[in-house]
């Protein structure tokens, strides 16, 4: 995450850890739901996840617009996730849960082909080469997604970070994935913009004039 002043403050929201550990909108023991997430939702609708959901604007809007899809938002930091939890307290959505975890453990939480779609939005760039495998579109992560995503499923990735996007494109082929769609200027691409739901970072960086890059990949 870019360390702007407000983001740094968000890392220390007083009481956020406690509030998250008590929230009914946050799944406290996600590994126990492996292979039975549909029991939590009480239906057999597809499960779509966003990894690195931040404050949750995107996944909450998606859950509101698509009541027949179950959504799970994953976020590493309590201090950011708390904002999503607070929004759920005023606007509860039955088809959305949150998990506070590091996505490196994703295959312990979801069973084989249990997920229908994965969203990566404005993932942290981790610019140092030695941190490349922490990047959420890296081939290490693609291998994990390969396990949990059903064979017809796909990954949608958006970013304004050129270096990260170039890196992400290079990962697709060697990891055995296929590039279905790509744009280097989402907001001026009518076809790919159709039905686009903005994220917090997308709003911020597109309003500064940054083009938004997006790909959709599958196997
Ligand atoms: N997706 C949101 C958006 O587009 O507005 C937030 C983008 S923010 C730059 C990236 C978020 O991903 C941060 O909140 C960060 O904590 C989270 N994140 C990064 N790596 C993660 C990981 N390995 N597991 C879970 N969350 C992660």
């Amino acid at each position: 995450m870019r360390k702007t002043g407000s983001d740094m403050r968000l890392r220390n929201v007083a009481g956020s850890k406690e509030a998250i550990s008590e929230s009914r909108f946050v799944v406290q023991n996600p590994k126990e739901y492996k292979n039975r997430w549909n029991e939590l939702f009480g239906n057999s609708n597809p499960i779509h996840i966003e990894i690195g959901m931040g404050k949750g604007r995107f996944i909450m809007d998606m859950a509101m617009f698509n009541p027949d899809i179950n959504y799970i938002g994953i976020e590493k930091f309590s201090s950011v996730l708390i904002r999503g939890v607070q929004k759920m307290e005023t606007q509860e959505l039955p088809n959305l849960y949150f998990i506070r975890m590091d996505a490196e453990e994703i295959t312990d939480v979801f069973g084989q082909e249990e997920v229908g779609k994965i969203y990566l939005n404005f993932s942290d760039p981790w610019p140092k080469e030695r941190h490349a495998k922490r990047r959420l579109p890296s081939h290490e992560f693609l291998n994990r997604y390969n396990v949990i995503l059903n064979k017809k499923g796909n990954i949608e990735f958006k970013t304004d970070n050129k270096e990260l996007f170039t890196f992400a494109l290079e990962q697709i082929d060697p990891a055995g994935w296929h590039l279905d769609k790509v744009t280097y200027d989402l907001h001026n691409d009518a076809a790919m913009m159709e039905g686009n739901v903005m994220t917090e970072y997308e709003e911020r960086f597109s309003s500064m004039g940054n083009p938004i890059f997006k790909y959709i990949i599958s196997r």
Side-chain angles (χ1 to χ4, degrees):
M1 179 179 270
R2 290 173 179 79
K3 287 192 178 102
T4 63
S6 66
D7 289 333
M8 297 222 293
R9 274 194 301 278
L10 274 174
R11 292 199 188 262
N12 288 311
V13 174
S16 62
K17 266 209 175 97
E18 293 70 22
I20 278 166
S21 69
E22 287 164 10
S23 172
R24 65 197 167 92
F25 304 122
V26 181
V27 181
Q28 305 296 340
N29 46 354
K31 291 180 188 172
E32 287 177 17
Y33 281 96
K34 185 172 178 176
N35 288 312
R36 53 186 200 91
W37 281 97
N38 281 113
E39 289 176 26
L40 179 71
F41 291 99
N43 60 48
S44 56
N45 292 341
I47 295 169
H48 294 184
I49 67 174
E50 183 188 8
I51 303 179
M53 57 164 264
K55 297 185 215 166
R57 168 175 165 181
F58 171 84
I59 195 126
M60 292 189 76
D61 282 350
M62 292 297 282
M64 208 158 30
F65 298 150
N66 303 290
D68 294 335
I69 295 174
N70 296 327
Y71 289 91
I72 299 174
I74 295 169
E75 171 54 49
K76 190 160 60 170
F77 289 111
S78 306
S79 48
V80 191
L81 179 56
I82 190 67
R83 302 304 181 202
V85 168
Q86 287 165 342
K87 282 186 255 174
M88 276 282 263
E89 276 158 10
T90 57
Q91 186 193 17
E92 191 169 337
L93 294 160
N95 58 331
L96 174 63
Y97 282 93
F98 302 129
I99 304 175
R100 197 207 57 75
M101 65 177 267
D102 188 321
E104 283 187 15
E105 293 183 47
I106 198 100
T107 53
D108 297 333
V109 165
F110 296 100
Q112 231 173 341
E113 300 195 35
E114 201 174 6
V115 172
K117 200 186 222 335
I118 299 174
Y119 293 101
L120 306 175
N121 291 317
F122 295 79
S123 307
D124 293 344
W126 291 107
K128 288 190 183 132
E129 200 41 51
R130 66 190 158 89
H131 291 145
K133 64 173 127 164
R134 294 188 193 171
R135 299 172 192 155
L136 293 178
S138 66
H139 69 263
E140 286 85 353
F141 270 101
L142 290 182
N143 290 343
R144 296 180 179 113
Y145 307 148
N146 188 36
V147 178
I148 65 167
L149 188 66
N150 75 45
K151 287 286 176 284
K152 290 186 185 154
N154 59 24
I155 302 177
E156 298 199 8
F157 170 51
K158 293 194 274 193
T159 183
D160 68 317
N161 187 302
K162 187 97 200 263
E163 290 73 30
L164 181 65
F165 196 62
T166 303
F167 167 85
L169 287 169
E170 288 164 1
Q171 303 292 295
I172 299 170
D173 226 33
W177 291 68
H178 176 262
L179 181 64
D180 296 330
K181 289 184 184 164
V182 63
T183 177
Y184 294 84
D185 191 0
L186 175 63
H187 290 199
N188 287 303
D189 182 324
M192 280 191 77
M193 195 57 183
E194 209 185 310
N196 185 58
V197 170
M198 294 264 265
T199 81
E200 260 126 9
Y201 271 64
E202 184 172 354
E203 170 100 53
R204 194 191 303 176
F205 291 111
S206 63
S207 72
M208 286 163 54
N210 295 8
I212 307 300
F213 314 117
K214 176 172 179 173
Y215 77 37
I216 302 177
I217 61 170
S218 63
R219 286 151 300 169

